[in-house]
Amino acid sequence: MQFMLLFSRQGKLRLQKWYVPLSDKERKKISRDLVQTILARKPKMCSFLEWRDLKIVYKRYASLYFCCAVEDQDNELITLEIIHRYVELLDKYFGSVCELDIIFNFEKAYFILDEFLLGGEAQETSKKNVLKAIEQADLLQEVSMLSSIDGFSWLF
Amino acid sequence: MSDVVEKTLTALPSLLSLDPQPGSAKLSSTSKLGNLIRGITELTSKHEEEKLIQHELASIKDQVSSPNTSMMKELMVRAIYCESLGYEASFTYIHAIKLAQQGTALEKRVGYLAVSLFLNESHELLLLLVNTVLKDLQSTNLIEVCMALTVVSQMFPKDMIPAILPLVEEKLNHPKEIIRRKAVLALYKFYLIAPNQVQHIHNKFRKALCDKDPGVMTASLHIYLQMIQENPEGYKDLTASFVTILKQVVGGKLPMDFNYHSVPAPWLQIQLLRILALLGKNDQSASAVMYEVLDESLRRAEMNHNITYAILYECVKCIYTIHPKSDLLEKAAKCIGNFVLSPKINLKYLGLKALTYVVQQDPRLALQHQMTIIECLDHSDLIIKRETLELLFRITNAQNVVVIVEKMLEFLRVNTDDYTTIDLVGKVAELAEKYPSDTMSTVFSVGGDMMQPDIPNSFLKLLSEGFDSVEEDRKLRLFAVDSYITLLQKEPGKLPQRFLQVISWVLGEYSHLKDELEPTVVLKLLAKLLDMKHTSSETKSWILMAMTKLCEGGAEVSVVREVSETYSSSMDTVLRQRAHELQYLSQDSELRAKVLLRDNGLRPLEVDSSLSFLDGFVSEALAAGAAPYKPPHQRQEELAQAKALSLEPYGLSLPMSMSSCSITDRQSPTLLSMSSGLSGDSAEISHKGGSTSLKLDGVKRVWGREGYLPQRAAVEEAAQVEVPCTLRSPSQQGDADSSHSQTPTSTPTPTEPDPEKQQLASLFFGLSSQSSVCLMGKPEPTPHRFRRKAKGVTDPTSSSLISTPSNVEKLLCNNLLDSNIASELAVSSAKQITELPQGLKTASSAADEDPDRPKDLCLISHLPAELSELCHSEITPLCTIQSILCAVNSCQYRGDVLIQTPFNHLHQVTHVSAELKKSTQCLSFAHSDVTFPCRPLTVSTEEYGTMWLSFSHDTKQNLTLIGDGQEALTATLNVLKQKLQLHVVEIIGQEGILSCRLLQDQPCLMHCRVHAGTLAVWLRSPVPDLPDCLIYHCQRALQEY
């Protein structure tokens, strides 16, 4: 996978993860282009797009679009399932996720993504294992937070 | 699932105040980030948002530098948020790194995240992260190790990989599988960015493949897929293992954890199928091992969920890639059918894609689904349309080409995406080339200026080469002339520049075929084009060329005179030159007949691309003390350097008389073409006179792209035209018809067949069983057909010494001989031998006063290796002009006398050896085709290592590889060794190091590595510009090869 973008129906980028080195300018251009193209597509249309020499796989969940760029020879359907699994993970973690969860806790969304995809490849496809890893890290976080008053105040 | 999301969204407002679920954090409503986000959503204008963010950033900046780090994590999250909105917060980058380094575990996590979001692989701050990663990799805290591995496999400075590699390797033996898995993925990342760094741990990959944890094994498959892609032969022994793994997975032997929607480990299955496809390709024995498990996979994957479709699709692809087995193919074909016929649009798309993939092997499949395909052609989704066109492109033959091309053009008209347009225009052009027809006009007007420049070129070649029958050629050309005239009469202003160029070439070349057409009419039309405002100067020069071909004296003279007068004072030198050509040739019909032959297609034109006929002139100029030619990039460089005030005296130039005669004495427009490029600067003339090989560049430009080149190249190849269009016998056609009507999907309804769809069914015309296979062939090889041939014909070495001068060159030669400069050319060689060194010597005396002359230069070392062994005279330095040293010596070789003059200029030594052949009576410069003559520098690998570190100037670039597979590196380096005389120090695996030097103390080191199909080259030298210069020549050497 080359990159993953999450954006809202209004075209606001919510999450972006780049697995190939690109300059800031290129990233901005690519995301602007893609957001425009995808938002212009009708709901019944194909979830795949040819864009430059990449294949774009996107899917809409409620008000959020999840969009991945893969190489041409990659399997589009499994990419679609990667998106789906990520949504499942978010859902399980946040407990019926919504866009606001991702807006306000975007760093958590990133952590989950990093635990699920590493370097652009699916590293752990078991839902249970991903969440276990995240929870362990969270636990560590809370333990150390309880020991520091500042962190504690931040928590609430 | 998505329903759930939808539901929660409708309940959004209440959700905010609700107590969140156990997993989610509770900050949203009160934290500063929450305030910021809410603040932004309340704003109405972009301007307000900008103000708010600037204010926010200012406050972050304020707090971030205070020593109290308790807020750091929160500040960092806010900074990430601002960055994600597109505002720069670069001041926080260093704090992110600090946070990852010094923070507690929880802060570290945010620090690492911020680093991975803020910086990209090449960012210099990333170097500061190396120590942190090192420390965390050694930590006893698993979470910290995980974080470090995560960040390492996302981004890590390539050069620093060796520093952490041992630690990552160590983690492959870690008791926890999550660590092992991340370590494997980190190594995968290293393999991608620097394959040579992880070469030595290949056996550890094998260990990971055999790991008891399926997750670790899955991770290792990423590396294997990559390695097998690059070298399938090296991993054939693993075929059985992969098959066994797949069998176990399909058989449900993995823990339930790996199931996804009750399908066992789909990601793993797909990865394995891709690997098997690579291993089984063109390998019958390897394929035989797979058949059983592939059959099993097909059987197990019931069509019920997206994930099984994904597996099926990969399975089908694999079956069609490996050595074929009929019953498997049948099952796969059925599968594809299910995809294509599926009402789900995603599956339909994949079905079309699969069809496109397999149709090369089995065109009947397309026939089976022709009705669906036709429906897809009119699909409202452009992506489906595009994929269908791709499919049709693969099944194009002489019968259906017209309909298919029409469909493609239709698509082009509505398409707005540049990338697709370029791709599709290329395909249409390829088809038009294969199955000639008149579609090219449309392609040009639709494709516009976006298409690749070689498309119009190959079209023009096609027109001029012609086909089998003369009559057909004539018809096609006449048709082209007719349609272009009509186009010009309408609204030429709207046509793209490239098309205008094509039009003017065709009219210039073929409008005489149409008898009733007056040249004046064409000329007037062309003149109108010239006057249009947006006509580019490139197009204008094409038009002037066409006019030159058209004017035959008579009525049109007035138009021509007017045009040539206007443009002979143009600011554009090329245009000015064209105008002069037009002027002279329109007045001198005899000369014109000589230069512009009509119908010269029968006799192949020979081109002396080395311009050996100019050698006399060059040697004359050199003898008279002229400076050697400098390639443009070098001249530019010097120009840039010279922008600083120069206090040194100007270099020696040609004697005044000579430079003036070169402009005034020449009557011929062709010679004017030489001098017009010089803009009257005598110093430049002398540059031009240096080396024949470089001279070629200058002249090529004049006679090149805009002008005579297409014509010449076309004529050269006229004899070798092959027409790939295969005509089918009527019986075969009948065959096609019958099988066509037999197909179940296209059962013609007896009552009222849809006429339009029937017409479209002609798409599949000629796609019947056997005959179609030969009709289709493979679509790839055609586009470069011409170029490859051209190379053979104009091979400089074969034509430089013995060549029949073409008419143009004859003209040049005659003029040369007329002028007194070149008259000595005819003098016998015996006289020349003695004269030339003398002449050179006298020239040198003039420069003897130069005080800067280097005293102690080891000239012998600059002799080419092949000459230094022969007996030769002493080297006589002739002159030095600033940094240019001109010296001469003569060598005896097999009775021929070689005079060698090394020119030593700054970082460039140019050897021009003049070869005198007794037999030919002609002085020709057998210039070594090494335009950048460096000497091999023999060093050991250790010496190389120390030198490498001490050199300061470097450059990096990717070059194309020659050949493929394992031998590519060696082959490429050998070419460089031969062409540029580089010394290959050592080759290890996919890496090689080379060295060379220019002068005694001007070495240049080169490090090459094969990466992703290209040769990544890194050059280092103590001399500025030398690496750049050498990379340029490497590129050229490889291109020429």
Side-chain angles (χ1 to χ4, degrees):
Chain A
M1 191 181 295
Q2 304 240 342
F3 56 84
M4 185 174 199
L5 302 175
L6 256 72
F7 53 90
S8 70
R9 220 163 47 186
Q10 288 77 35
K12 285 239 187 281
L13 264 184
R14 295 301 180 205
L15 217 69
Q16 46 177 330
K17 191 83 197 177
W18 302 83
Y19 297 109
V20 284
L22 285 171
S23 74
D24 242 26
K25 222 171 117 193
E26 283 169 299
R27 288 180 181 186
K28 274 182 190 153
K29 189 181 175 323
I30 291 173
S31 30
R32 209 176 38 237
D33 277 12
L34 275 181
V35 168
Q36 250 174 26
T37 324
I38 291 175
L39 287 179
R41 289 176 65 80
K42 298 192 184 76
K44 287 277 168 235
M45 281 182 166
C46 187
S47 300
F48 315 130
L49 263 184
E50 272 159 48
W51 188 79
R52 301 207 193 154
D53 51 350
L54 294 178
K55 186 71 54 100
I56 307 295
V57 178
Y58 73 92
K59 185 149 189 198
R60 185 180 153 185
Y61 288 88
S63 58
L64 266 189
Y65 283 86
F66 291 71
C67 154
C68 294
V70 293
E71 274 113 80
D72 192 50
Q73 71 271 14
D74 285 336
N75 190 316
E76 289 92 344
L77 281 178
I78 200 85
T79 314
L80 216 48
E81 292 315 301
I82 284 185
I83 294 179
H84 190 75
R85 174 51 38 120
Y86 182 46
V87 175
E88 281 181 354
L89 286 169
L90 290 172
D91 196 54
K92 184 99 183 172
Y93 181 79
F94 287 108
S96 52
V97 70
C98 66
E99 193 185 339
L100 285 182
D101 286 325
I102 295 172
I103 298 174
F104 285 104
N105 299 294
F106 62 88
E107 82 275 19
K108 305 252 185 223
Y110 275 120
F111 292 144
I112 296 172
L113 186 62
D114 281 348
E115 210 52 52
F116 173 45
L117 294 178
L118 196 50
E121 306 285 351
Q123 61 152 331
E124 175 57 89
T125 53
S126 150
K127 197 151 54 171
K128 202 179 81 192
N129 288 351
V130 174
L131 292 175
K132 208 168 78 188
I134 295 286
E135 269 155 23
Q136 271 173 356
D138 279 352
L139 202 66
L140 183 83
Q141 188 160 326
E142 271 167 46
V143 167
S144 55
M145 251 195 287
L146 286 168
S147 64
S148 107
I149 296 158
D150 285 318
F152 201 70
S153 70
W154 174 85
L155 189 68
F156 294 104
Chain B
M1 160 72 232
S2 56
D3 299 340
V4 178
V5 181
E6 198 89 57
K7 240 181 268 165
T8 45
L9 266 180
T10 50
L12 259 185
S14 55
L15 237 164
L16 268 177
S17 53
L18 264 176
D19 190 40
Q21 307 285 325
S24 82
K26 309 167 188 173
L27 80 158
S28 46
S29 46
T30 49
S31 76
K32 283 190 176 165
L33 176 71
N35 286 336
L36 172 65
I37 294 170
R38 255 192 305 281
I40 283 173
T41 44
E42 279 161 17
L43 296 177
T44 45
S45 76
K46 184 84 188 161
H47 180 70
E48 280 177 343
E49 181 189 304
E50 208 174 307
K51 242 170 68 185
L52 184 73
I53 297 280
Q54 289 313 337
H55 180 253
E56 182 72 20
L57 283 176
S59 104
I60 293 176
K61 198 171 190 170
D62 231 30
Q63 297 175 45
V64 95
S65 40
S66 78
N68 174 18
T69 57
S70 63
M71 294 290 283
M72 273 307 268
K73 183 172 153 244
E74 205 253 332
L75 286 173
M76 205 47 72
V77 173
R78 270 154 67 197
I80 296 176
Y81 187 76
C82 293
E83 274 256 330
S84 76
L85 287 177
Y87 298 90
E88 198 188 295
S90 53
F91 65 89
T92 52
Y93 296 174
I94 186 72
H95 295 287
I97 287 175
K98 260 192 354 234
L99 195 63
Q101 194 172 8
Q102 299 160 352
T104 57
L106 72 122
E107 290 175 327
K108 221 179 230 314
R109 197 167 168 219
V110 175
Y112 272 133
L113 175 68
V115 168
S116 71
L117 290 174
F118 287 155
L119 309 180
N120 67 19
E121 243 154 49
S122 48
H123 203 286
E124 50 195 359
L125 279 181
L126 217 50
L127 286 176
L128 297 176
L129 200 69
V130 176
N131 263 328
T132 316
V133 169
L134 266 178
K135 204 181 83 203
D136 284 340
L137 280 177
Q138 286 162 303
S139 162
T140 49
N141 186 338
L142 284 188
I143 306 253
E144 283 181 349
V145 180
C146 277
M147 285 185 223
L149 284 173
T150 305
V151 82
V152 155
S153 39
Q154 296 208 16
M155 47 172 358
F156 200 73
K158 204 195 296 186
D159 304 335
M160 296 311 287
I161 289 175
I164 59 160
L165 192 58
L167 281 174
V168 177
E169 262 178 75
E170 210 175 84
K171 295 287 176 278
L172 289 175
N173 299 321
H174 201 275
K176 279 278 182 200
E177 70 274 351
I178 185 173
I179 305 278
R180 292 206 299 277
R181 193 180 65 216
K182 281 182 196 265
V184 170
L185 281 168
L187 290 178
Y188 167 63
K189 177 74 177 178
F190 294 166
Y191 183 80
L192 286 182
I193 57 175
N196 47 300
Q197 307 265 31
V198 288
Q199 238 159 14
H200 61 286
I201 44 178
H202 276 196
N203 54 340
K204 294 208 173 151
F205 295 157
R206 293 218 174 200
K207 220 182 130 222
L209 183 66
C210 305
D211 199 286
K212 59 181 187 296
D213 181 68
V216 181
M217 187 265 292
T218 313
S220 76
L221 289 185
H222 294 303
I223 302 180
Y224 274 101
L225 180 66
Q226 201 65 33
M227 292 195 300
I228 292 171
Q229 227 157 27
E230 280 156 28
N231 173 28
E233 292 308 315
Y235 300 91
K236 293 278 185 195
D237 55 322
L238 287 175
T239 313
S241 318
F242 289 128
V243 169
T244 320
I245 299 173
L246 185 56
K247 250 183 216 159
Q248 287 176 353
V249 176
V250 173
K253 299 268 174 2
L254 287 188
M256 287 296 279
D257 273 357
F258 289 90
N259 281 12
Y260 177 82
H261 294 264
S262 66
V263 176
W267 278 273
L268 177 55
Q269 283 196 44
I270 283 173
Q271 201 74 3
L272 282 168
L273 285 169
R274 288 180 71 180
I275 289 177
L276 288 184
L278 290 172
L279 287 172
K281 194 175 182 183
N282 303 326
D283 186 339
Q284 191 168 358
S285 58
S287 302
V289 188
M290 307 168 190
Y291 292 143
E292 196 194 324
V293 73
L294 289 175
D295 195 32
E296 177 85 5
S297 291
L298 275 185
R299 211 161 43 80
R300 291 253 180 173
E302 291 151 26
M303 302 279 249
N304 55 8
H305 188 271
N306 256 346
I307 198 75
T308 49
Y309 295 130
I311 296 172
L312 275 180
Y313 174 75
E314 211 58 54
C315 220
V316 165
K317 247 175 97 172
C318 179
I319 289 172
Y320 271 96
T321 311
I322 63 172
H323 189 85
K325 182 166 188 265
S326 56
D327 64 318
L328 272 183
L329 287 179
E330 222 166 88
K331 283 179 189 166
K334 219 175 110 208
C335 237
I336 296 181
N338 287 337
F339 273 95
V340 174
L341 295 172
S342 164
K344 290 186 184 164
I345 189 162
N346 288 346
L347 295 188
K348 202 180 264 303
Y349 173 82
L350 277 190
L352 289 171
K353 199 177 155 192
L355 261 186
T356 313
Y357 186 74
V358 304
V359 85
Q360 272 162 296
Q361 286 157 48
D362 189 2
R364 277 169 307 172
L365 261 183
L367 207 60
Q368 271 175 31
H369 300 293
Q370 54 171 316
M371 275 322 193
T372 324
I373 295 174
I374 290 168
E375 273 162 25
C376 289
L377 258 187
D378 289 322
H379 204 280
S380 56
D381 193 344
L382 277 187
I383 298 302
I384 299 278
K385 257 190 185 178
R386 172 83 184 78
E387 194 57 44
T388 317
L389 287 177
E390 186 75 38
L391 170 61
L392 289 178
F393 172 69
R394 305 277 170 110
I395 56 167
T396 310
N397 58 36
Q399 272 82 45
N400 60 18
V401 63
V402 177
V403 195
I404 290 181
V405 167
E406 217 164 79
K407 283 282 161 194
M408 287 180 161
L409 293 175
E410 219 170 76
F411 182 87
L412 275 176
R413 282 194 197 95
V414 292
N415 181 53
T416 50
D417 172 33
D418 289 359
Y419 199 87
T420 321
T421 306
I422 292 169
D423 182 59
L424 210 55
V425 164
K427 286 193 167 130
V428 175
E430 200 185 316
L431 288 181
E433 206 176 299
K434 260 205 256 173
Y435 312 103
S437 60
D438 50 279
T439 47
M440 282 316 269
S441 303
T442 341
V443 180
F444 286 125
S445 49
V446 176
D449 291 329
M450 225 126 58
M451 64 177 114
Q452 248 110 48
D454 58 329
I455 292 170
N457 280 349
S458 56
F459 170 65
L460 293 184
K461 267 178 203 158
L462 182 81
L463 258 187
S464 58
E465 279 173 353
F467 311 109
D468 277 346
S469 90
V470 179
E471 189 43 41
E472 220 169 276
D473 284 355
R474 227 184 83 85
K475 265 202 254 165
L476 184 66
R477 287 168 189 167
L478 262 180
F479 176 82
V481 170
D482 267 346
S483 49
Y484 292 164
I485 292 272
T486 353
L487 270 175
L488 288 190
Q489 278 162 345
K490 274 190 230 153
E491 257 186 295
K494 283 186 181 154
L495 300 174
Q497 298 296 321
R498 287 254 165 76
F499 191 29
L500 286 180
Q501 290 163 13
V502 169
I503 289 179
S504 31
W505 187 85
V506 168
L507 290 183
E509 208 64 22
Y510 298 121
S511 66
H512 67 91
L513 291 173
K514 202 168 153 67
D515 294 329
E516 65 268 35
L517 190 67
E518 287 287 326
T520 334
V521 178
V522 185
L523 278 174
K524 276 193 181 139
L525 280 174
L526 290 175
K528 210 168 83 192
L529 284 183
L530 276 179
D531 292 338
M532 284 189 323
K533 225 185 250 156
H534 65 268
T535 313
S536 72
S537 49
E538 198 192 342
T539 312
K540 279 183 181 165
S541 78
W542 280 77
I543 297 171
L544 286 175
M545 289 288 311
M547 290 179 130
T548 316
K549 291 177 204 158
L550 282 170
C551 61
E552 283 174 320
E556 61 265 29
V557 167
S558 63
V559 185
V560 167
R561 189 180 302 138
E562 200 182 304
V563 167
S564 58
E565 264 165 25
T566 321
Y567 285 97
S568 56
S569 56
S570 161
M571 292 293 281
D572 188 316
T573 44
V574 180
L575 279 185
R576 202 161 60 215
Q577 179 213 330
R578 296 270 173 262
H580 278 293
E581 282 171 15
L582 176 61
Q583 198 175 0
Y584 282 107
L585 290 179
S586 66
Q587 281 161 9
D588 190 342
S589 59
E590 225 173 279
L591 187 63
R592 191 176 166 283
K594 257 200 273 180
V595 183
L596 299 165
L597 290 182
R598 191 163 278 170
D599 288 332
N600 49 2
L602 300 173
R603 190 172 53 83
L605 211 59
E606 275 182 57
V607 180
D608 180 2
S609 62
S610 73
L611 300 181
S612 55
F613 57 91
L614 282 174
D615 290 346
F617 175 76
V618 172
S619 61
E620 274 309 316
L622 287 174
Y629 174 77
K630 290 181 200 164
H633 65 98
Q634 191 191 344
R635 230 178 305 153
Q636 272 305 236
E637 227 164 70
E638 278 164 35
L639 214 64
Q641 284 165 0
K643 271 191 186 139
L645 202 57
S646 164
L647 296 173
E648 299 195 35
Y650 286 109
L652 197 68
S653 66
L654 273 183
M656 222 32 224
S657 62
M658 197 166 144
S659 62
S660 62
C661 85
S662 72
I663 292 163
T664 53
D665 291 357
R666 309 273 166 76
Q667 290 305 315
S668 134
T670 36
L671 273 170
L672 266 169
S673 71
M674 270 181 55
S675 48
S676 66
L678 303 180
S679 48
D681 185 342
S682 57
E684 272 204 37
I685 295 183
S686 57
H687 287 326
K688 277 217 156 180
S691 132
T692 37
S693 74
L694 295 166
K695 181 104 190 172
L696 182 141
D697 282 355
V699 180
K700 212 179 196 171
R701 210 179 311 127
V702 172
W703 290 98
R705 237 185 299 156
E706 300 92 350
Y708 290 108
L709 201 66
Q711 175 198 6
R712 273 204 215 168
V715 176
E716 275 165 36
E717 286 157 13
Q720 306 174 29
V721 196
E722 48 177 274
V723 182
C725 147
T726 324
L727 291 169
R728 287 158 41 83
S729 68
S731 67
Q732 276 172 316
Q733 213 148 352
D735 237 30
D737 288 340
S738 61
S739 73
H740 164 197
S741 56
Q742 273 161 19
T743 54
T745 37
S746 71
T747 33
T749 43
T751 47
E752 221 179 359
D754 183 349
E756 197 198 350
K757 289 212 166 149
Q758 279 217 326
Q759 180 247 324
L760 280 172
S762 59
L763 287 174
F764 302 92
F765 218 50
L767 253 195
S768 76
S769 49
Q770 296 89 7
S771 59
S772 45
V773 181
C774 69
L775 274 174
M776 302 208 332
K778 285 206 169 163
E780 283 88 31
T782 30
H784 299 293
R785 184 157 53 105
F786 296 109
R787 232 172 292 149
R788 233 178 282 132
K789 254 188 237 161
K791 213 180 233 169
V793 175
T794 53
D795 184 351
T797 46
S798 66
S799 56
S800 61
L801 292 176
I802 333 128
S803 68
T804 329
S806 69
N807 45 3
V808 180
E809 278 119 26
K810 239 185 227 156
L811 193 76
L812 268 174
C813 252
N814 289 342
N815 276 290
L816 267 177
L817 289 171
D818 284 349
S819 67
N820 28 12
I821 312 159
S823 59
E824 279 153 28
L825 248 176
V827 180
S828 76
S829 58
K831 200 171 158 205
Q832 286 273 16
I833 302 167
T834 50
E835 250 177 24
L836 195 68
Q838 277 168 8
L840 287 167
K841 263 175 199 153
T842 44
S844 72
S845 60
D848 266 349
E849 291 100 25
D850 193 331
D852 291 334
R853 183 169 157 188
K855 301 229 164 59
D856 194 11
L857 266 172
C858 180
L859 291 168
I860 294 284
S861 65
H862 305 313
L863 277 176
E866 64 271 23
L867 289 181
S868 55
E869 282 162 28
L870 304 170
C871 65
H872 52 78
S873 71
E874 258 189 297
I875 295 170
T876 323
L878 291 174
C879 56
T880 25
I881 305 155
Q882 291 173 22
S883 52
I884 304 169
L885 170 78
C886 179
V888 68
N889 77 323
S890 57
C891 307
Q892 197 94 27
Y893 180 62
R894 285 196 208 144
D896 289 343
V897 181
L898 299 166
I899 299 169
Q900 210 220 355
T901 52
F903 297 97
N904 179 352
H905 181 265
L906 286 175
H907 350 292
Q908 182 159 5
V909 187
T910 315
H911 283 278
V912 181
S913 37
E915 189 183 357
L916 284 164
K917 285 218 167 172
K918 279 174 184 159
S919 54
T920 53
Q921 296 249 322
C922 173
L923 175 72
S924 74
F925 265 65
H927 63 89
S928 54
D929 45 5
V930 185
T931 46
F932 187 74
C934 33
R935 304 271 152 273
L937 173 64
T938 322
V939 290
S940 68
T941 311
E942 288 75 34
E943 285 167 332
Y944 181 98
T946 40
M947 282 162 88
W948 180 264
L949 291 176
S950 62
F951 294 166
S952 47
H953 300 279
D954 69 342
T955 190
K956 288 180 191 176
Q957 197 162 348
N958 285 348
L959 299 178
T960 44
L961 274 171
I962 287 167
D964 44 23
Q966 290 269 285
E967 302 304 308
L969 179 69
T970 331
T972 315
L973 296 190
N974 273 338
V975 170
L976 291 179
K977 188 179 162 188
Q978 277 162 16
K979 291 228 175 187
L980 298 171
Q981 306 197 8
L982 306 179
H983 171 68
V984 180
V985 182
E986 198 172 0
I987 300 180
I988 307 170
Q990 294 296 296
E991 259 186 303
I993 48 177
L994 295 92
S995 61
C996 70
R997 67 186 163 84
L998 280 178
L999 289 172
Q1000 209 62 30
D1001 50 0
Q1002 300 186 336
C1004 186
L1005 302 180
M1006 184 168 171
H1007 173 262
C1008 310
R1009 186 166 55 74
V1010 178
H1011 176 56
T1014 58
L1015 188 69
V1017 177
W1018 190 358
L1019 285 166
R1020 274 194 176 188
S1021 167
V1023 185
D1025 304 327
L1026 179 54
D1028 284 325
C1029 213
L1030 188 59
I1031 198 95
Y1032 168 79
H1033 285 280
C1034 287
Q1035 224 164 7
R1036 275 198 32 180
L1038 291 176
Q1039 259 164 23
E1040 279 164 20
Y1041 183 84

